[in-house]
Amino acid sequence: MINNLVKFYSGYAQVFTEDYDENKTINNTFVLSDSLEKRILNYNKITQTAPRLEYFALASSEEKTKGAIIIGVHPEKEDQITEISKWVNSGSYFKNNDDGVLLSINLAEYLNLDIGDTLILYGQGFHGVTAAGLYPIVGILKFPSPELNKQMVYMNIKSAQELFGAQNRATSMIVMVDRHQDLPEAMRYLRQNIQAPLMTKSWDELQPELVQMIEGDRAGGIVMKMVLYMVVGFGILGTIIMMIAERMRELGVTIAVGMQKQTMSFILYIETILTGLLGTAAGVIGSIPIIIYFYSNPVKLSGDAAETMVQMGQEPFLYFSLNLHIFYSQALIVLFLSMIIGLYPIIKVYKIKVNQALRA
């Protein structure tokens, strides 16, 4: 879920000015420099960076006008991070030196514009300069989020800088890492090496409402796992109870011919642990092919669940993970349950009365 969210728009972290954090205006931008990008990429866990220039303008056609969010991006770098080209519904994705724009589908429909038409942008730029320009539409974007479809305009960052009179400036620098587990270390590095007036914020600081949603989903997952552990635990306990009940006469005979209860308890405990080990290994081995399949072919959701995810700006798919921690942590928990349940045969053996067991 985290990977899906950060690759959709925000990135794992963003670098911007302290003033921009308080007031997101184009006057609080910073100058792009090769030294800044090199400093960020100097840490091995940081894989990519991409500059953005974001602001607002009026998007117009011959007859209609509507407010829009203008996002100037480096086409190649942005596509590597957010894979925005996959949302192109018609037309084509723009190139690094392309002066055309990508228009979200509902905004294009409202303005009665299509591929090859000209979009008029008008607004206020850096330090109050007039921002106005004509741009050909090269592609129409269709996002899973209805809100984004109503207001987004993507253009080359150089064109955006010229439009707003903010030469070589950016509102933010997107920072990516391989895995979200690498983010804490990357954030420590960035905060040590990015000084004022610049600052760094991680995706969870930028989108606290999404953090709450993820925490709620995680809490629901914990409840579900507890229910499953209870089912597994009682399943193992039922097997062990039947095993002891069916062998009661055998156990009584063994004790009668001289085996110590302590030795028998140890043997039965080891037997229980081995049963848990074999069951856990079979479960892990049997699940791996299924997980690999669904990792490559995520389950597409429908109905209310899909609608909820779309409204949160996520693709309506149930994704699977190949993270080894998920496998061995569950295996260890089931093994731990087996060790606890293994106490039952020990207690049962010490309570055996030989004369009754022989008649079982």
Side-chain angles (χ1 to χ4, degrees), residues 14-18 20 25-33 36-37 40 50-53 126 157 161 166-174 194 197-199:
Q14 292 187 18
V15 176
F16 40 73
T17 65
E18 294 173 340
Y20 188 78
T25 172
I26 199 166
N27 294 331
N28 294 331
T29 53
F30 62 92
V31 177
L32 288 172
S33 64
L36 174 62
E37 187 172 9
I40 294 172
R52 283 184 186 162
L53 181 62
F126 188 61
I157 189 170
Q161 290 167 344
Q167 298 299 330
N168 201 36
R169 303 186 75 87
T171 52
S172 62
M173 179 76 79
I174 309 302
I194 304 295
L198 296 177
M199 64 177 295

Side-chain angles (χ1 to χ4, degrees), residues 49-233:
T49 62
R52 283 184 186 162
L53 181 62
E54 303 180 46
Y55 205 47
F56 300 93
L58 291 176
S60 303
S61 59
E62 292 183 354
E63 300 177 353
K64 295 183 178 181
T65 299
K66 188 176 183 180
I69 300 175
I70 313 301
I71 304 181
V73 298
H74 186 287
E76 184 179 341
K77 292 181 178 179
E78 185 72 21
D79 195 38
Q80 290 174 352
I81 290 176
T82 61
E83 298 179 345
I84 187 175
S85 61
K86 72 181 181 182
W87 304 118
V88 175
N89 186 60
S90 59
S92 61
Y93 187 66
F94 52 15
K95 299 179 176 61
N96 289 346
N97 297 319
D98 200 334
D99 290 330
V101 298
L102 301 174
L103 200 61
S104 57
I105 187 167
N106 290 354
L107 180 59
E109 290 173 354
Y110 177 82
L111 297 175
N112 295 319
L113 295 174
D114 206 343
I115 305 301
D117 292 339
T118 299
L119 176 69
I120 304 168
L121 294 178
Y122 185 82
Q124 190 177 64
F126 188 61
H127 287 316
V129 302
T130 299
L134 304 175
Y135 300 93
I137 300 172
V138 298
I140 303 295
L141 298 170
K142 186 177 182 180
F143 296 106
S145 169
E147 289 303 314
L148 295 181
N149 285 329
K150 295 176 182 177
Q151 55 189 349
M152 305 299 282
V153 177
Y154 280 84
M155 62 195 309
N156 193 304
I157 189 170
K158 291 182 180 179
S159 299
Q161 290 167 344
E162 292 176 2
L163 171 66
F164 293 114
Q167 298 299 330
N168 201 36
R169 303 186 75 87
T171 52
S172 62
M173 179 76 79
I174 309 302
V175 180
M176 296 295 289
V177 294
D178 269 336
R179 307 173 307 155
H180 74 270
Q181 291 91 341
D182 298 328
L183 185 59
E185 293 182 28
M187 288 300 298
R188 281 194 292 269
Y189 169 81
L190 290 171
R191 284 171 175 157
Q192 290 172 0
N193 291 272
I194 304 295
Q195 285 85 30
L198 296 177
M199 64 177 295
T200 307
K201 277 193 172 184
S202 59
W203 71 270
D204 51 342
E205 295 171 314
L206 293 167
Q207 304 177 90
E209 69 282 356
L210 296 181
V211 176
Q212 293 178 358
M213 182 186 69
I214 291 173
E215 290 299 328
D217 182 77
R218 182 176 288 130
I222 291 173
V223 172
M224 181 61 67
K225 283 196 292 185
M226 293 301 295
V227 172
L228 291 174
Y229 291 146
M230 290 177 63
V231 172
V232 170

Side-chain angles (χ1 to χ4, degrees), residues 285-302:
I285 294 171
S287 66
I288 287 176
I290 300 172
I291 297 297
I292 290 175
Y293 173 80
F294 284 113
Y295 178 79
S296 303
N297 303 276
V299 178
K300 186 172 183 178
L301 301 176
S302 60

